[in-house]
Amino acid sequence: AASGKAAESASVSRSSTTLLVKNLPHSADEDELRQLFSASGRTVVRLVLPPTKTLALVEFAEPQEARSAFKSLAYKKYQQVPLYLEWAPKDIWETPPPATAAAAAAAAAKPKAAAAAAGSSDQAPAAAPDGKK
């Protein structure tokens, strides 16, 4: 049985859509990385490159896209150094990705819009809520 740090790392659940990119050179560029990870039609939802520029977090829209990026980019050279990829911890993000947040808001608004369009009989007309013109 593993003990110490090995046991701790084995118990961390990992994200299916976010990669931790390590071994980046200090000259790493966010736009270059976005382009690299977006290749082959993959959708990068968000990319975070801290000021140290030695690592990055890359989140994809779908798990299949993340797996594809992992397989094609692990150990690939970027600015003369190999990229070290690993799956980020599952709860690395505190907020949902921007696209997911927008989709959730749209989905929440849909039932209200559908009910208003159907003109449900239990709602008063919007033009005269007090019954006067």
Short mmCIF file of all heavy atoms in Angstrom, two decimals, residues 19-48:
data_model
loop_
_atom_site.label_atom_id
_atom_site.label_comp_id
_atom_site.label_asym_id
_atom_site.label_seq_id
_atom_site.Cartn_x
_atom_site.Cartn_y
_atom_site.Cartn_z
N LEU A 19 -7.00 20.20 -18.17
CA LEU A 19 -5.62 19.72 -18.15
C LEU A 19 -4.74 20.72 -17.42
O LEU A 19 -4.92 21.93 -17.55
CB LEU A 19 -5.08 19.56 -19.57
CG LEU A 19 -5.77 18.54 -20.47
CD1 LEU A 19 -5.14 18.57 -21.85
CD2 LEU A 19 -5.70 17.16 -19.88
N LEU A 20 -3.78 20.18 -16.68
CA LEU A 20 -2.74 20.98 -16.05
C LEU A 20 -1.52 20.84 -16.96
O LEU A 20 -1.07 19.72 -17.24
CB LEU A 20 -2.45 20.44 -14.65
CG LEU A 20 -1.40 21.14 -13.81
CD1 LEU A 20 -1.77 22.60 -13.59
CD2 LEU A 20 -1.26 20.45 -12.47
N VAL A 21 -1.05 21.95 -17.48
CA VAL A 21 0.08 21.95 -18.42
C VAL A 21 1.30 22.43 -17.66
O VAL A 21 1.32 23.55 -17.17
CB VAL A 21 -0.21 22.88 -19.62
CG1 VAL A 21 0.91 22.80 -20.64
CG2 VAL A 21 -1.56 22.55 -20.25
N LYS A 22 2.32 21.58 -17.60
CA LYS A 22 3.53 21.90 -16.84
C LYS A 22 4.74 22.01 -17.76
O LYS A 22 4.69 21.60 -18.91
CB LYS A 22 3.81 20.80 -15.81
CG LYS A 22 2.75 20.64 -14.76
CD LYS A 22 3.14 19.49 -13.86
CE LYS A 22 2.26 19.34 -12.68
NZ LYS A 22 2.68 18.22 -11.82
N ASN A 23 5.81 22.55 -17.21
CA ASN A 23 7.10 22.66 -17.88
C ASN A 23 7.07 23.71 -18.99
O ASN A 23 7.78 23.60 -19.98
CB ASN A 23 7.56 21.31 -18.45
CG ASN A 23 9.04 21.30 -18.75
OD1 ASN A 23 9.84 21.84 -18.01
ND2 ASN A 23 9.41 20.69 -19.87
N LEU A 24 6.24 24.72 -18.83
CA LEU A 24 6.20 25.78 -19.83
C LEU A 24 7.40 26.70 -19.67
O LEU A 24 7.83 26.99 -18.54
CB LEU A 24 4.92 26.61 -19.68
CG LEU A 24 3.61 25.90 -20.03
CD1 LEU A 24 2.42 26.77 -19.65
CD2 LEU A 24 3.58 25.57 -21.51
N PRO A 25 7.95 27.20 -20.78
CA PRO A 25 9.04 28.17 -20.68
C PRO A 25 8.49 29.51 -20.18
O PRO A 25 7.30 29.80 -20.33
CB PRO A 25 9.56 28.27 -22.11
CG PRO A 25 8.40 27.87 -22.96
CD PRO A 25 7.61 26.88 -22.16
N HIS A 26 9.36 30.34 -19.63
CA HIS A 26 8.93 31.66 -19.13
C HIS A 26 8.45 32.56 -20.25
O HIS A 26 7.76 33.54 -20.00
CB HIS A 26 10.07 32.33 -18.35
CG HIS A 26 10.38 31.64 -17.07
ND1 HIS A 26 9.59 31.73 -15.96
CD2 HIS A 26 11.39 30.80 -16.74
CE1 HIS A 26 10.10 31.00 -15.00
NE2 HIS A 26 11.19 30.41 -15.43
N SER A 27 8.77 32.20 -21.49
CA SER A 27 8.33 32.99 -22.64
C SER A 27 6.97 32.52 -23.18
O SER A 27 6.53 32.97 -24.23
CB SER A 27 9.38 32.92 -23.74
OG SER A 27 9.59 31.57 -24.12
N ALA A 28 6.31 31.63 -22.47
CA ALA A 28 5.01 31.10 -22.92
C ALA A 28 4.02 32.24 -23.14
O ALA A 28 4.01 33.22 -22.41
CB ALA A 28 4.45 30.11 -21.90
N ASP A 29 3.20 32.08 -24.18
CA ASP A 29 2.24 33.10 -24.56
C ASP A 29 0.83 32.51 -24.53
O ASP A 29 0.59 31.43 -25.08
CB ASP A 29 2.57 33.60 -25.97
CG ASP A 29 1.60 34.64 -26.46
OD1 ASP A 29 1.62 35.77 -25.93
OD2 ASP A 29 0.81 34.32 -27.37
N GLU A 30 -0.10 33.20 -23.87
CA GLU A 30 -1.47 32.70 -23.72
C GLU A 30 -2.15 32.47 -25.07
O GLU A 30 -2.82 31.45 -25.27
CB GLU A 30 -2.30 33.67 -22.87
CG GLU A 30 -3.66 33.12 -22.52
CD GLU A 30 -4.40 33.98 -21.51
OE1 GLU A 30 -3.75 34.73 -20.75
OE2 GLU A 30 -5.63 33.89 -21.48
N ASP A 31 -1.98 33.39 -26.00
CA ASP A 31 -2.60 33.23 -27.32
C ASP A 31 -2.03 32.03 -28.08
O ASP A 31 -2.77 31.28 -28.72
CB ASP A 31 -2.44 34.50 -28.16
CG ASP A 31 -3.26 35.66 -27.60
OD1 ASP A 31 -4.29 35.41 -26.93
OD2 ASP A 31 -2.85 36.82 -27.81
N GLU A 32 -0.72 31.84 -28.00
CA GLU A 32 -0.08 30.67 -28.64
C GLU A 32 -0.61 29.37 -28.04
O GLU A 32 -0.90 28.43 -28.76
CB GLU A 32 1.44 30.71 -28.46
CG GLU A 32 2.18 31.58 -29.41
CD GLU A 32 3.70 31.48 -29.18
OE1 GLU A 32 4.15 30.74 -28.27
OE2 GLU A 32 4.42 32.17 -29.91
N LEU A 33 -0.71 29.34 -26.72
CA LEU A 33 -1.21 28.13 -26.05
C LEU A 33 -2.66 27.85 -26.42
O LEU A 33 -3.03 26.71 -26.69
CB LEU A 33 -1.06 28.25 -24.53
CG LEU A 33 0.36 28.17 -24.00
CD1 LEU A 33 0.39 28.51 -22.52
CD2 LEU A 33 0.94 26.78 -24.24
N ARG A 34 -3.48 28.90 -26.47
CA ARG A 34 -4.88 28.73 -26.85
C ARG A 34 -4.98 28.15 -28.26
O ARG A 34 -5.74 27.25 -28.53
CB ARG A 34 -5.63 30.06 -26.76
CG ARG A 34 -7.12 29.93 -27.03
CD ARG A 34 -7.85 31.23 -26.78
NE ARG A 34 -7.80 31.68 -25.40
CZ ARG A 34 -8.60 31.21 -24.43
NH1 ARG A 34 -9.49 30.31 -24.70
NH2 ARG A 34 -8.50 31.68 -23.21
N GLN A 35 -4.15 28.67 -29.16
CA GLN A 35 -4.15 28.18 -30.54
C GLN A 35 -3.68 26.72 -30.60
O GLN A 35 -4.27 25.90 -31.30
CB GLN A 35 -3.24 29.07 -31.39
CG GLN A 35 -3.30 28.77 -32.87
CD GLN A 35 -2.50 29.79 -33.68
OE1 GLN A 35 -1.66 30.50 -33.15
NE2 GLN A 35 -2.77 29.84 -34.96
N LEU A 36 -2.65 26.39 -29.84
CA LEU A 36 -2.12 25.03 -29.82
C LEU A 36 -3.17 24.04 -29.31
O LEU A 36 -3.41 23.00 -29.91
CB LEU A 36 -0.87 24.98 -28.92
CG LEU A 36 -0.21 23.62 -28.73
CD1 LEU A 36 0.40 23.14 -30.03
CD2 LEU A 36 0.86 23.73 -27.64
N PHE A 37 -3.83 24.39 -28.20
CA PHE A 37 -4.80 23.47 -27.60
C PHE A 37 -6.14 23.48 -28.34
O PHE A 37 -6.93 22.55 -28.20
CB PHE A 37 -4.97 23.78 -26.11
CG PHE A 37 -3.86 23.23 -25.28
CD1 PHE A 37 -2.74 24.01 -25.01
CD2 PHE A 37 -3.89 21.94 -24.80
CE1 PHE A 37 -1.68 23.50 -24.27
CE2 PHE A 37 -2.84 21.42 -24.05
CZ PHE A 37 -1.73 22.20 -23.79
N SER A 38 -6.41 24.52 -29.15
CA SER A 38 -7.65 24.59 -29.93
C SER A 38 -7.53 23.89 -31.28
O SER A 38 -8.52 23.79 -32.00
CB SER A 38 -8.05 26.05 -30.17
OG SER A 38 -8.33 26.68 -28.97
N ALA A 39 -6.35 23.42 -31.62
CA ALA A 39 -6.14 22.78 -32.92
C ALA A 39 -7.08 21.60 -33.10
O ALA A 39 -7.58 21.02 -32.12
CB ALA A 39 -4.69 22.33 -33.04
N SER A 40 -7.34 21.24 -34.33
CA SER A 40 -8.21 20.11 -34.69
C SER A 40 -9.64 20.31 -34.23
O SER A 40 -10.34 19.34 -33.92
CB SER A 40 -7.65 18.80 -34.14
OG SER A 40 -6.35 18.57 -34.62
N GLY A 41 -10.07 21.55 -34.12
CA GLY A 41 -11.47 21.83 -33.79
C GLY A 41 -11.83 21.70 -32.32
O GLY A 41 -13.01 21.73 -31.97
N ARG A 42 -10.85 21.56 -31.44
CA ARG A 42 -11.15 21.46 -30.01
C ARG A 42 -11.58 22.83 -29.48
O ARG A 42 -11.04 23.85 -29.89
CB ARG A 42 -9.93 20.95 -29.24
CG ARG A 42 -9.58 19.50 -29.57
CD ARG A 42 -8.43 19.02 -28.71
NE ARG A 42 -7.18 19.68 -29.04
CZ ARG A 42 -6.23 19.13 -29.79
NH1 ARG A 42 -6.37 17.94 -30.31
NH2 ARG A 42 -5.11 19.78 -30.01
N THR A 43 -12.55 22.83 -28.56
CA THR A 43 -13.06 24.08 -28.00
C THR A 43 -12.45 24.31 -26.61
O THR A 43 -12.77 23.60 -25.67
CB THR A 43 -14.60 24.03 -27.88
OG1 THR A 43 -15.14 23.74 -29.16
CG2 THR A 43 -15.14 25.35 -27.35
N VAL A 44 -11.58 25.31 -26.52
CA VAL A 44 -11.00 25.69 -25.23
C VAL A 44 -11.97 26.67 -24.59
O VAL A 44 -12.20 27.76 -25.10
CB VAL A 44 -9.60 26.32 -25.40
CG1 VAL A 44 -9.09 26.88 -24.09
CG2 VAL A 44 -8.63 25.30 -25.96
N VAL A 45 -12.55 26.26 -23.46
CA VAL A 45 -13.52 27.10 -22.76
C VAL A 45 -12.80 28.21 -21.98
O VAL A 45 -13.21 29.35 -21.99
CB VAL A 45 -14.38 26.24 -21.80
CG1 VAL A 45 -15.34 27.10 -21.02
CG2 VAL A 45 -15.13 25.19 -22.59
N ARG A 46 -11.73 27.84 -21.32
CA ARG A 46 -10.90 28.85 -20.64
C ARG A 46 -9.49 28.33 -20.48
O ARG A 46 -9.26 27.13 -20.37
CB ARG A 46 -11.50 29.28 -19.30
CG ARG A 46 -11.77 28.21 -18.31
CD ARG A 46 -12.44 28.80 -17.06
NE ARG A 46 -13.22 27.77 -16.42
CZ ARG A 46 -13.97 27.95 -15.36
NH1 ARG A 46 -14.02 29.14 -14.80
NH2 ARG A 46 -14.66 26.97 -14.84
N LEU A 47 -8.57 29.27 -20.47
CA LEU A 47 -7.15 28.98 -20.32
C LEU A 47 -6.59 30.00 -19.34
O LEU A 47 -6.81 31.19 -19.50
CB LEU A 47 -6.46 29.11 -21.68
CG LEU A 47 -5.00 28.70 -21.73
CD1 LEU A 47 -4.67 28.06 -23.07
CD2 LEU A 47 -4.07 29.87 -21.47
N VAL A 48 -5.90 29.51 -18.33
CA VAL A 48 -5.30 30.39 -17.32
C VAL A 48 -3.80 30.18 -17.34
O VAL A 48 -3.31 29.06 -17.19
CB VAL A 48 -5.86 30.09 -15.91
CG1 VAL A 48 -5.14 30.93 -14.87
CG2 VAL A 48 -7.35 30.32 -15.86
#
